[in-house]
Amino acid sequence: WPKGHKGLIIFFNGRNEYLEKYNEAYKRFQNLHYSVVALDWRGQGLSEREKKIDQLGYVGNFSEYQLDVEAVLTHEKIKNINGPKILVAHSTGGCIGLRTLSNERFKIERAIFLAPLWGGKTMQHVSHRISRLMVRAGWEKKSPISAKSKPYILNTTPEKNCHTSDRNQFERLQKIIATDPRLSAGPATFGWISAVGDELIDLDKQKPLRLPHLVLLGQEDTLISHKAVKNKCKFAKHCQLHIIPKARHELLIEKREITNLVWRKIENFLN
């Protein structure tokens, strides 16, 4: 969406997500007079997938996602957009985005991270270690969960789901996947779990971010390591961290009072 005059929002979504999920957010950024670009990561949404594992989430190394980033940000239509470039990255997109920001050729000036994946919780560390062993055994394209399992959003309830406390948004997400099941990438493979764990360990060795960045984290987010996010912000000079009360993982797809607060934080940061 190239018509904004204030600059370019580069939107990175998370694992097992798809472009259509954040249509409302793209419109909101456009209403703030920003151009917007977003993508389906390889193997997600309607992007290309390996045929033999098209119902599983797979990547051999997280550096592959940087090839996707490069393909988008070096596209002629994107290069011709004037104004500052601002990264907006959600969840696993926050992990991918942290690596992208180390590439100075993209000239991204500021960043907004929404529930970023910057470290693992205890069980995620265990899963990473097990998955590394499985990869060494040649099982990188296998998953601990069956590819025939129902997508998470169709197998939970508005009360129990970890994404949003808003029933209407929950039902919207269910309807999207029920309408077009291709939009669900499926369970993560051992290869993907091993790759993300390796990437997080490597990113921990990097120097803290120097550019101004806003970090928003839901108080009731059970997917993200709060400790890892706070540690990253603790050592970064230009980090604004805000914990959003009563919010779950999907800060842009929450109850109205929550999304209103999130957007106030975003707009204050952009102004």
Side-chain angles (χ1 to χ4, degrees):
W1 300 274
K3 295 185 178 180
H5 63 266
K6 283 189 174 181
L8 175 65
I9 297 292
I10 302 163
F11 195 99
F12 287 1
N13 59 31
R15 197 201 91 76
N16 204 2
E17 295 193 322
Y18 44 89
L19 282 168
E20 295 80 357
K21 188 171 182 176
Y22 295 101
N23 282 341
E24 293 174 13
Y26 309 145
K27 291 177 183 177
R28 186 74 177 252
F29 282 119
Q30 289 171 78
N31 290 339
L32 294 173
H33 307 293
Y34 285 91
S35 301
V36 181
V37 63
L39 71 152
D40 280 335
W41 300 113
R42 59 182 62 207
Q44 296 188 186
L46 298 181
S47 67
E48 292 179 2
R49 306 185 186 194
E50 289 192 43
K51 289 183 180 179
K52 291 183 180 179
I53 52 167
D54 62 355
Q55 292 179 307
L56 293 173
Y58 173 75
V59 68
N61 190 297
F62 257 50
S63 62
E64 294 173 37
Y65 290 130
Q66 298 307 317
L67 300 176
D68 301 347
V69 172
E70 184 168 357
V72 171
L73 297 187
T74 59
H75 193 284
E76 205 61 37
K77 289 183 179 179
I78 305 305
K79 288 165 66 177
N80 289 336
I81 294 175
N82 295 319
K85 294 183 177 69
I86 301 161
L87 175 68
V88 178
H90 168 68
S91 196
T92 303
C95 171
I96 298 169
L98 205 57
R99 177 69 69 186
T100 300
L101 291 175
S102 68
N103 191 336
E104 296 182 358
R105 65 188 283 243
F106 295 135
K107 298 179 180 178
I108 296 172
E109 296 184 15
R110 285 185 287 171
I112 298 169
F113 293 101
L114 307 169
L117 177 61
W118 283 349
K121 302 172 81 170
T122 301
M123 286 308 298
Q124 290 166 335
H125 289 306
V126 172
S127 180
H128 173 230
R129 288 194 288 271
I130 293 172
S131 294
R132 290 184 78 177
L133 293 173
M134 292 298 186
V135 168
R136 289 173 187 167
W139 285 39
E140 66 272 11
K141 294 184 180 180
K142 304 290 185 181
S143 173
I145 301 172
S146 170
K148 296 180 180 179
S149 299
K150 267 189 177 183
Y152 171 79
I153 198 68
L154 300 181
N155 204 30
T156 184
T157 65
E159 295 76 23
K160 293 181 179 180
N161 88 94
C162 60
H163 293 303
T164 177
S165 60
D166 184 272
R167 178 178 286 270
N168 291 332
Q169 288 286 7
F170 175 80
E171 291 175 354
R172 179 180 77 90
L173 296 178
Q174 283 193 319
K175 184 178 179 180
I176 291 173
I177 297 302
T179 301
D180 193 342
R182 295 176 301 167
L183 294 177
S184 173
T189 55
F190 290 118
W192 192 96
I193 299 167
S194 177
V196 70
D198 290 347
E199 178 71 341
L200 290 171
I201 290 170
D202 196 58
L203 286 170
D204 261 348
K205 301 172 186 175
Q206 284 193 340
K207 293 180 180 179
L209 284 178
R210 295 181 180 179
L211 53 72
H213 55 291
L214 172 69
V215 180
L216 303 179
L217 181 63
Q219 183 184 41
E220 298 179 8
D221 192 332
T222 58
L223 292 178
I224 294 300
S225 168
H226 290 228
K227 181 181 178 180
V229 172
K230 290 174 181 177
N231 281 343
K232 274 276 193 296
C233 290
K234 180 180 178 181
F235 297 105
K237 187 175 181 181
H238 301 291
C239 177
Q240 299 178 32
L241 171 63
H242 298 278
I243 307 299
I244 306 301
K246 299 180 182 180
R248 299 183 194 178
H249 187 57
E250 294 287 354
L251 294 170
L252 295 175
I253 307 176
E254 258 290 3
K255 289 181 177 176
R256 184 60 59 86
E257 59 267 27
I258 293 173
T259 57
N260 284 345
L261 175 58
V262 167
W263 280 104
R264 282 201 299 273
K265 299 290 186 187
I266 291 173
E267 290 179 27
N268 288 339
F269 179 75
L270 292 174
N271 291 330

